[in-house]
Amino acid sequence: DAKTTQPTSMDCAEGRAANLPCNHSTISGNEYVYWYRQIHSQGPQYIIHGLKNNETNEMASLIITEDRKSSTLILPHATLRDTAVYYCIVAGGSQGNLIFGKGTKLSVKP
Amino acid sequence: DAGVIQSPRHEVTEMGQEVTLRCKPISGHDYLFWYRQTMMRGLELLIYFNNNVPIDDSGMPEDRFSAKMPNASFSTLKIQPSEPRDSAVYFCASSPRGQGVRYGYTFGSGTRLTVV
């Protein structure tokens, strides 16, 4: 599976949009981009995933560049409860497994 | 939907003892995964099952670890004998029918294992 690069940590003010970047320059054609988050002491939680089109759900939006080499997860109005480690993962559509990296520790501050 | 259920939530055992962790996946999910999380190594995939059959156990650290899935609603991860370096949080996850990775995994709350 392709590797991803994410910043180690980010801060965001409560109520503002949190934009979390991810680079995946070696992604192949059949690999999806997945985002999960892990709030302290809990299991990882699925957020969103996409192949090449932008995606939106009730939790977040996923913007994937046209060349698919990078993506951005957007939390439109961050709250204190969004403080967590966010993982960007690329994995194949057939039997690719989710391999977690170190993620980005997002701290939402009042 | 109760989600993925793991038991126990916490386990403290002495070195050399056998430890069994349990997982009940979401009904209808045909993929089941076991992960281990430590500060040093992060989240590691240990093994996964499809339709109760182990597909890839290359992440299992050594022969002391074994996993079974006797039916679609139950899986165990066993460590025998346990060692202090096995101390970690163990997560179970399940995913619905189809090509597993195209669907979000649902993780359980984890079992925090401490081996003293």
Side-chain angles (χ1 to χ4, degrees):
Chain A
D1 292 347
K3 292 184 178 179
T4 63
T5 304
Q6 298 179 253
T8 302
S9 64
M10 293 181 63
D11 289 342
C12 178
E14 187 179 20
R16 305 296 294 268
N19 297 284
L20 292 92
C22 180
N23 287 321
H24 31 79
S25 59
T26 60
I27 191 171
S28 60
N30 69 341
E31 289 183 317
Y32 288 72
V33 180
Y34 290 81
W35 283 84
Y36 281 73
R37 73 180 182 183
Q38 187 173 23
I39 296 170
H40 183 61
S41 298
Q42 298 182 19
Q45 177 190 23
Y46 166 81
I47 302 173
I48 198 167
H49 76 282
L51 184 62
K52 54 184 177 181
N53 297 322
N54 298 337
E55 303 287 345
T56 296
N57 63 21
E58 66 278 6
M59 290 183 69
S61 294
L62 174 60
I63 308 299
I64 303 174
T65 58
E66 193 169 342
D67 63 7
R68 302 208 324 125
K69 293 185 178 181
S70 66
S71 61
T72 301
L73 179 75
I74 301 172
L75 307 178
H77 304 287
T79 71
L80 299 179
R81 289 177 295 180
D82 292 321
T83 292
V85 178
Y86 286 78
Y87 298 97
C88 169
I89 304 163
V90 293
S94 57
Q95 281 193 321
N97 297 315
L98 294 183
I99 307 299
F100 288 78
K102 296 191 182 301
T104 295
K105 182 175 174 56
L106 175 69
S107 298
V108 181
K109 300 180 184 299
Chain B
D1 181 358
V4 175
I5 300 173
Q6 291 186 247
S7 63
R9 288 297 308 275
H10 302 273
E11 176 80 38
V12 180
T13 190
E14 291 186 347
M15 183 174 62
Q17 296 297 307
E18 177 180 295
V19 176
T20 300
L21 311 181
R22 296 173 176 80
C23 175
K24 176 178 168 55
I26 291 174
S27 177
H29 284 194
D30 60 345
Y31 283 82
L32 184 138
F33 306 82
W34 283 100
Y35 284 82
R36 176 174 71 174
Q37 186 171 35
T38 60
M39 288 292 292
M40 291 294 294
R41 301 175 68 89
L43 270 162
E44 302 173 277
L45 176 63
L46 300 178
I47 185 172
Y48 79 95
F49 295 82
N50 178 213
N51 291 322
N52 313 335
V53 176
I55 302 301
D56 185 353
D57 65 354
S58 59
M60 296 285 262
E62 46 196 280
D63 292 345
R64 297 184 297 105
F65 286 69
S66 62
K68 294 182 179 179
M69 192 165 186
N71 57 62
S73 59
F74 184 66
S75 177
T76 60
L77 178 67
K78 185 177 295 187
I79 308 173
Q80 166 64 15
S82 58
E83 297 183 3
R85 61 192 167 123
D86 301 331
S87 297
V89 181
Y90 291 80
F91 289 104
C92 176
S94 70
S95 181
R97 187 171 304 279
Q99 295 177 335
V101 183
R102 289 187 181 177
Y103 301 88
Y105 292 10
T106 300
F107 282 78
S109 299
T111 294
R112 181 174 295 277
L113 173 65
T114 303
V115 183
V116 298

